Amino acid sequence: MCKKRLFTILLIINVCSFLAGCQINTSSNPSEEKKSETENEDVSLEKLTNEDKVVTINGIAHTYADLKFFELMSKVEIELNRLQDQQSLTGKKLEDKLKYWDEQIKYHDNYNVNLSKMIEQYSMSLLAEEKDLKVDEQNLQKKIDDFTQKVDQAELAKKLIESISSDEYNTQLNTYFQQRILTEEIYNILKEDVKKENPDAAEQEISYLTDKKYEELYMSQIESLNLTIESP
């Protein structure tokens, strides 16, 4: 995800959360204030149940269980990437990559980061459906099979998945990959348009221009949706 786009949606989430339930903190010690805010956030998250709504988009409620599944999938992907680097890199390059993946795991412990990414994927899949894009069932099954095969070879990824019930995992996996395929389809269409508009551009420039178009389209999509973010 583009850092600028992530920052924008995080800002939206933070503003909505603030308006939904801000409290005046009378602590005169900045460090104590920061500690108190962190503790309050931890407590509020502990009180969430799987059925609690975290965001409603065009009348469809997404629960804390949905958010936790999205966090799980993000972390599983990180562990698959970690394994790939362990198999292909050595020395300092491997050390740096492993450190990076450790940081990414911690990064995805953040409630708002996971929420922003879940909102993006769902919102862009809605846009794809509005444009009559369809998910090919054979392609969907191949994506799921490839993913499952990779997970079976990655112990850390398997342990993450084993942390939730198999019924819950299997129920959500299909929907997750449907949304992901639709989102990727939107990106690929934009990329083809960029290539046509810039036939002599290098791949790096194509990627940059595609990311920019995608970001603009995503922001436009967010503005068109009826989106309500619940305060945790």
Side-chain angles (χ1 to χ4, degrees), residues 75-128:
K75 289 185 175 182
V76 168
E77 289 285 355
I78 290 168
E79 295 304 345
L80 295 181
N81 290 329
R82 184 200 300 274
L83 179 61
Q84 184 177 5
D85 285 338
Q86 287 174 327
Q87 294 171 339
S88 61
L89 300 176
T90 58
K92 186 66 165 59
K93 287 185 178 180
L94 176 58
E95 182 182 336
D96 290 342
K97 271 293 189 177
L98 294 181
K99 182 179 179 182
Y100 171 75
W101 295 127
D102 286 341
E103 292 171 350
Q104 284 298 300
I105 286 288
K106 291 179 182 178
Y107 180 65
H108 285 84
D109 284 333
N110 186 286
Y111 177 93
N112 285 345
V113 166
N114 296 314
L115 182 58
S116 69
K117 295 180 73 173
M118 184 178 75
I119 289 172
E120 178 190 351
Q121 180 163 293
Y122 181 73
S123 299
M124 295 307 280
S125 70
L126 285 182
L127 180 61

Side-chain angles (χ1 to χ4, degrees), residues 30 52 101 167 170 192:
D52 285 332
W101 295 127
D167 287 343
N170 291 328
E192 288 304 313

